[in-house]
Amino acid sequence: MVRAWSMWVSCLLATLLMGTAGAVGSGAGAAALTAGTPAMAALPMGQPVLAAETVSSPALTTYPREAPAPAPGQTPGRTPGPSAFLSPKSPAAPGSPLPACPETGLRRISGDRQVLFEGGVSEPVVVHLTDASGTPIVGERLHLLVGHCPAKAAAVGFDPPALVTDAQGQASFSIGVSVPGEYVVIVQRTADPTQIVKVELTVYDSSWLMFLLFGLAGGLGMFLYGMTLGAEGLQKIAGRRMKAILGAFTSSTWLGILTGVVVTAITQSSSATTVMLVGFVNASLMTLPQTLSVIMGANIGTTFTVQLIAFDISHWALLLIGVGFALKQSSNRTTSYAGDITLGFGLIFYGMKVMSTAMSPLRSFPAFKELLISISHYPITAILGSMLFTSLIQSSGATIGLIVVFAGQGLISLDSAIPLILGAHIGTCITGWIAALGASLPAKKTALLNVVYNMLGTVIFLPFLYDWASFADLVAWCSAPFGATPAREVANAHMLSATLKVVALLPFYDRIIALTEWLLPEPGKPEEQPLRTKFLSEELLRTPELALGNVAREIARMAGHVEVMMHGVPALISYAHDAHIEDLTLREQKVDFLRLQITRYLSRLSENTLTAEQTATMMQYMNVINDLEGLADMIYKVILPCSKVKKAGELRFSEEGFRELMKMFDAVNAVFLKAINGFATHDLHLIEQVLASEPVIAQMEEELRASHMKRVFAHRDQSVQTSTLHLDLLSTLKNIHSQAVKIARALAPHDPAPSAAVASPSS
């Protein structure tokens, strides 16, 4: 894909250079002005060239600034410069209005508004001279005047240096320049000085293309960073609200569409919304049919950003950057996040200004303008090119932002812009595909669903990209009452196309889901993967609030494995079967695996900019998973070996001793269940009960230890034989309780002092 895009760019640059090659090196005087072209005469600003005076000039001639001999009818001592032909209110500069040439008399045929590089020679400029009856005037001399040139330009060269009309009444000449800037050359009749034609040239520095690429790259970088910064600020302010919004789209399709609009307006990127959907489906929090409505809404939501950037407020960009930076220094988190948003929008608008300035010279390149105009004649090629470009930068907003800049500079028409917009809709789907790599099959289907929807929407619009049923006419008609600029028309086309896609494809909602299922069918029964996470989605790392929510779900899974291990403790104390031991071993491996994966996930999450609350939550989760893993280790590394020793030695606890161990286990297990339920439900009452149980369990352990020792001193055989195992189990159960208390302590906002007045933990 990268190779295809590079080839496309190469073709574009080749077209640019080929279109200007003739302007740089063609004509009779193709050598640079400074090389001393023999046939080229150089003229200071405001000086006329008289054919009789220069026709025999053998080499480069620089005319003195003093006035030459007056032409017929001219006042002696006065040089017929531009002021002789222009109104005082119309300075001699590029684009200045000049008197219109009549159909008869002197008129220009070709050669105006050329672009060339410094030291280059223009394509021939052709003028035509006729009398009042339209008959060509043969053999009349024409003056050449420099109406405007850069201050550093000492002279302008012409080839030939003298103009005389031929048998068809035509005369042609080329212009040589050596200094970049804007030039105006005026052709004047000798017989009637009021008849003139104006020729404009734009000359660029030889390194202009490099600066264009630098400006485009830098402006695009600022634009993308501004979008990222603004989106992060919005997500930090609306993180919890966004999480609640995303949990509410199961009610109806229309609510799902609204959810997609709102969430994408917050994230400023339909790609980001799609990535979140992939993560939710991968975490089994959503089903495939639920995601399509959100995808539809996301395509509409992303148009609001483009509508915003279509406003020509780039002159406020630096102010927004300054205000945003000042707000970011605030100690108030909300104000600091507002600074991120303001600074982000400032960078967006300033980046667009940089791109607009860098690309403005392209208006003067006929080859480039013709290339863009031809896009409307080859819409499928334009769609593919835009799709590839958007895939590379992974932002449809940036692509359409560039289209807005093109339209604002007059480089592209609405007809040519629409295929590029449709291509950007498809190209942005690549981000979802990247997010789905290595994810579950439903997550891959979600990414494919986004592609299918946007491709179907593009196919619907294909018949309306041609003149006989032009979608551009509809956009122009809708925009006309508001006096929309070309940039605004592009933004309106983006919004209208996204909205019409929803209207057109909504009746086929189930069919689109079925098509996606058919394209990516379910394979046979999947192989069991015992060691894998379920809720840790890489795609949600950019949204810390949602990522932390999924971490909590993964910790709850981990706690579920520990709970199963706890439920197996009575069997271990009584008599452990091989199948039970195998299951316990697998559970312990899963707990270790989940602790490692959750730790790595939180470590990666910490690389983002987190709020103080999010950082505290992350530290809580780190403590909880470590305590859970420690609890599982006690079961696997202490209780299980005790069970194996008991089984190997064919030992049996006394009836009283077994009942006491079960009493201790029941009390500890009840506390453990309260701890993990308190974590899952955020029930502070349960957490307080766990913290208050510490002295109760400590006292119970002492009483049961003393009771056991009485049986040992009474020389009860079973008690004597199992004494070491019995005491080890009591100590381990107490330590398990301590781990549960540590979990509760990590979750408690404050650690209340233990109170013996609290009821027994088994209550």
Side-chain angles (χ1 to χ4, degrees):
M1 182 178 294
V2 174
R3 178 178 298 177
W5 170 244
S6 63
M7 292 177 62
W8 190 83
V9 172
S10 300
C11 292
L12 172 61
L13 294 179
T15 305
L16 259 176
L17 297 177
M18 290 174 63
T20 58
V24 175
S26 64
L33 180 64
T34 56
T37 306
M40 185 76 71
L43 179 69
M45 177 177 178
Q47 302 294 322
V49 176
L50 299 180
E53 298 170 337
T54 60
V55 69
S56 61
S57 176
L60 178 66
T61 303
T62 301
Y63 286 86
R65 287 194 175 272
E66 59 267 17
Q74 178 185 344
T75 303
R78 183 182 180 200
T79 301
S83 58
F85 316 110
L86 302 179
S87 165
K89 295 184 180 180
S90 304
S96 301
L98 289 173
C101 295
E103 291 299 323
T104 59
L106 182 64
R107 58 193 177 92
R108 181 183 59 249
I109 296 178
S110 64
D112 190 27
R113 298 184 182 274
Q114 295 187 48
V115 176
L116 56 154
F117 294 114
E118 59 178 327
V121 179
S122 73
E123 292 286 345
V125 178
V126 181
V127 295
H128 191 212
L129 181 61
T130 59
D131 58 19
S133 63
T135 303
I137 299 177
V138 180
E140 181 171 332
R141 301 172 184 176
L142 301 176
H143 288 300
L144 292 175
L145 303 172
V146 180
H148 174 84
C149 68
K152 295 182 180 180
V156 177
F158 299 97
D159 179 28
L163 289 186
V164 179
T165 58
D166 59 15
Q168 286 76 36
Q170 296 183 2
S172 66
F173 65 97
S174 298
I175 306 169
V177 292
S178 59
V179 178
E182 302 289 339
Y183 291 79
V184 176
V185 174
I186 298 172
V187 183
Q188 178 191 35
R189 284 193 65 180
T190 303
D192 183 3
T194 61
Q195 290 192 25
I196 60 173
V197 292
K198 180 182 67 170
V199 180
E200 295 183 357
L201 293 110
T202 302
V203 181
Y204 292 116
D205 186 272
S206 57
S207 59
W208 164 81
L209 185 60
M210 178 183 68
F211 289 112
L212 181 145
L213 295 176
F214 286 176
L216 183 61
L220 183 60
M222 282 190 284
F223 183 94
L224 291 173
Y225 180 68
M227 290 191 68
T228 301
L229 192 62
E232 287 178 352
L234 285 166
Q235 289 176 27
K236 289 172 185 176
I237 289 180
R240 291 190 178 277
R241 295 189 186 96
M242 188 167 60
K243 183 179 177 181
I245 291 171
L246 287 171
F249 47 61
T250 56
S251 300
S252 68
T253 300
W254 289 107
L255 188 57
I257 294 174
L258 179 61
T259 300
V261 171
V262 173
V263 172
T264 306
I266 293 174
T267 61
Q268 301 183 46
S269 171
S270 59
S271 298
T273 303
T274 304
V275 166
M276 283 193 288
L277 292 177
V278 170
F280 287 155
V281 174
N282 189 49
S284 302
L285 300 178
M286 289 182 63
T287 61
L288 185 66
Q290 289 175 325
T291 61
L292 179 55
S293 60
V294 183
I295 290 172
M296 289 178 168
N299 277 265
I300 298 176
T302 192
T303 63
F304 292 113
T305 303
V306 178
Q307 286 287 345
L308 185 61
I309 64 179
F311 286 104
D312 185 17
I313 57 174
S314 58
H315 48 284
W316 295 99
L318 292 177
L319 176 62
L320 290 174
I321 292 174
V323 172
F325 179 80
L327 292 176
K328 277 180 65 67
Q329 311 311 310
S330 173
S331 57
N332 182 276
R333 286 182 296 176
T334 303
T335 304
S336 179
Y337 301 154
D340 287 335
I341 298 170
T342 307
L343 179 58
F345 278 109
L347 289 173
I348 288 173
F349 290 116
Y350 193 69
M352 290 194 64
K353 178 64 175 178
V354 171
M355 289 188 290
S356 178
T357 302
M359 291 188 296
S360 59
L362 292 176
R363 290 178 297 178
S364 304
F365 280 94
F368 187 76
K369 295 183 71 173
E370 290 172 5
L371 175 65
L372 293 179
I373 293 172
S374 68
I375 289 176
S376 61
H377 303 298
Y378 304 98
I380 295 180
T381 303
I383 290 171
L384 293 176
S386 177
M387 180 182 69
L388 291 175
F389 180 77
T390 307
S391 301
L392 286 176
I393 64 173
Q394 297 185 30
S395 173
S396 60
T399 301
I400 299 174
L402 279 172
I403 299 172
V404 169
V405 171
F406 276 129
Q409 289 291 339
L411 293 171
I412 193 169
S413 65
L414 182 59
D415 294 279
S416 301
I418 291 174
L420 298 177
I421 293 172
L422 297 176
H425 290 174
I426 302 176
T428 191
C429 300
I430 189 65
T431 309
W433 269 114
I434 294 174
L437 294 177
S440 63
L441 182 63
K444 290 184 174 68
K445 289 183 178 181
T446 302
L448 178 61
L449 179 62
N450 189 29
V451 176
V452 170
Y453 171 74
N454 282 287
M455 290 192 70
L456 288 175
T458 300
V459 170
I460 290 175
F461 276 96
L462 284 179
F464 303 100
L465 300 181
Y466 299 93
D467 293 338
W468 60 275
S470 176
F471 174 63
D473 292 341
L474 175 63
V475 175
W477 180 77
C478 294
S479 305
F482 307 99
T485 62
R488 177 65 58 195
E489 287 184 339
V490 170
N492 292 344
H494 181 33
M495 175 172 281
L496 194 58
S497 63
T499 305
L500 290 178
K501 276 200 299 186
V502 173
V503 174
L505 295 178
L506 191 60
F508 305 97
Y509 194 98
D510 295 334
R511 297 292 181 89
I512 297 174
I513 299 292
L515 176 61
T516 305
E517 296 277 8
W518 179 77
L519 291 174
L520 197 60
E522 294 281 350
K525 184 178 180 181
E527 296 181 2
E528 184 179 359
Q529 299 179 358
L531 299 180
R532 62 179 295 268
T533 60
K534 185 176 180 181
F535 299 104
L536 300 186
S537 174
E538 298 291 324
E539 299 78 31
L540 297 184
L541 284 171
R542 294 178 60 185
T543 313
E545 192 66 37
L546 299 176
L548 287 172
N550 272 18
V551 169
R553 294 182 179 93
E554 200 66 57
I555 293 175
R557 280 189 70 223
M558 181 180 178
H561 291 303
V562 178
E563 182 181 356
V564 173
M565 295 176 70
M566 282 290 290
H567 288 170
V569 168
L572 291 177
I573 294 175
S574 175
Y575 185 86
H577 296 281
D578 291 340
H580 185 205
I581 294 175
E582 290 178 5
D583 181 69
L584 191 69
T585 301
L586 178 59
R587 297 282 180 181
E588 200 274 339
Q589 290 175 356
K590 289 182 177 180
V591 170
D592 288 346
F593 173 79
L594 290 175
R595 185 201 66 80
L596 178 61
Q597 296 303 317
I598 294 173
T599 301
R600 289 176 176 174
Y601 191 81
L602 290 175
S603 176
R604 293 186 60 189
L605 183 61
S606 66
E607 297 174 2
N608 296 334
T609 304
L610 304 178
T611 65
E613 182 182 359
Q614 290 169 345
T615 302
T617 301
M618 188 175 68
M619 294 306 298
Q620 281 183 349
Y621 291 170
M622 289 290 291
N623 291 330
V624 169
I625 61 175
N626 288 330
D627 293 333
L628 284 172
E629 199 235 358
L631 196 153
D633 284 345
M634 291 177 189
I635 298 174
Y636 184 74
K637 297 180 180 180
V638 180
I639 297 180
L640 180 58
C642 287
S643 176
K644 290 181 178 179
V645 170
K646 175 176 173 291
K647 182 179 180 181
E650 297 183 353
L651 302 176
R652 292 178 61 86
F653 293 112
S654 65
E655 186 176 346
E656 296 87 348
F658 182 76
R659 283 200 303 268
E660 290 173 356
L661 288 173
M662 290 299 98
K663 177 181 179 181
M664 182 72 175
F665 168 78
D666 289 339
V668 170
N669 190 47
V671 173
F672 166 73
L673 292 176
K674 288 181 180 179
I676 62 175
N677 287 333
F679 170 80
T681 62
H682 304 285
D683 190 337
L684 293 180
H685 179 65
L686 291 176
I687 299 301
E688 291 172 358
Q689 288 185 19
V690 173
L691 295 174
S693 69
E694 194 168 14
V696 177
I697 296 298
Q699 182 179 355
M700 179 183 295
E701 193 266 345
E702 290 179 2
E703 292 174 353
L704 296 179
R705 182 181 294 270
S707 176
H708 171 73
M709 294 308 298
K710 287 180 181 180
R711 290 192 296 274
V712 172
F713 294 151
H715 304 290
R716 304 270 300 266
D717 289 341
Q718 290 178 325
S719 297
V720 171
Q721 293 173 1
T722 60
S723 180
T724 301
L725 294 176
H726 190 102
L727 295 177
D728 286 347
L729 289 172
L730 284 176
S731 297
T732 303
L733 290 172
K734 182 183 178 182
N735 291 336
I736 290 175
H737 173 265
S738 298
Q739 292 295 113
V741 172
K742 287 174 66 177
I743 293 173
R745 190 169 288 127
L747 301 174
H750 300 288
D751 189 3
S755 174
V758 179
S760 168
S762 61
S763 61

